[in-house]
Amino acid sequence: MGMTEVRVRVVNLADPGRWADVDLVVDSGAIYSVVPATVLREIGVEPREVQTFGLAHGGTVRRPIGDVRYEIDRSAGAAPVIFGRR
């Protein structure tokens, strides 16, 4: 099986005129989406808190999270986003 990517428009909730199109990997078991922090900062998204996330190998990482609007084709909705590292 290969990885599936989808083009997603990520929109700043506070300023909908600021957005970016990104290719995200589809993971049907994921709870959060991860978008590079550089992209989120470019469109003005601010973190609202930092959370700790468990990793598959048993370790943990702390990452900022915020909220964005996701648009895929004709569907859209707001949800949390993790500020990802490169």
Side-chain angles (χ1 to χ4, degrees), residues 42-58:
E42 284 174 7
I43 64 171
V45 177
E46 296 288 334
R48 62 175 160 81
E49 65 180 297
V50 176
Q51 288 190 5
T52 302
F53 298 93
L55 302 175
H57 64 66

Side-chain angles (χ1 to χ4, degrees), residues 32-43:
Y32 293 99
S33 294
V34 180
V35 173
T38 54
V39 172
L40 295 171
R41 289 188 182 104
E42 284 174 7
I43 64 171

Side-chain angles (χ1 to χ4, degrees), residues 2-76:
M3 305 272 276
T4 301
E5 288 188 354
V6 64
R7 174 61 53 118
V8 179
R9 180 161 289 178
V10 180
V11 181
N12 181 328
L13 289 174
D15 184 358
R18 298 180 73 182
W19 51 269
D21 289 332
V22 294
D23 293 318
L24 299 180
V25 175
V26 175
D27 180 351
S28 61
I31 297 171
Y32 293 99
S33 294
V34 180
V35 173
T38 54
V39 172
L40 295 171
R41 289 188 182 104
E42 284 174 7
I43 64 171
V45 177
E46 296 288 334
R48 62 175 160 81
E49 65 180 297
V50 176
Q51 288 190 5
T52 302
F53 298 93
L55 302 175
H57 64 66
T60 60
V61 294
R62 291 181 52 79
R63 296 286 184 269
I65 64 168
D67 297 293
V68 296
R69 178 178 174 87
Y70 297 95
E71 298 178 356
I72 304 170
D73 295 327
R74 292 180 185 86
S75 298

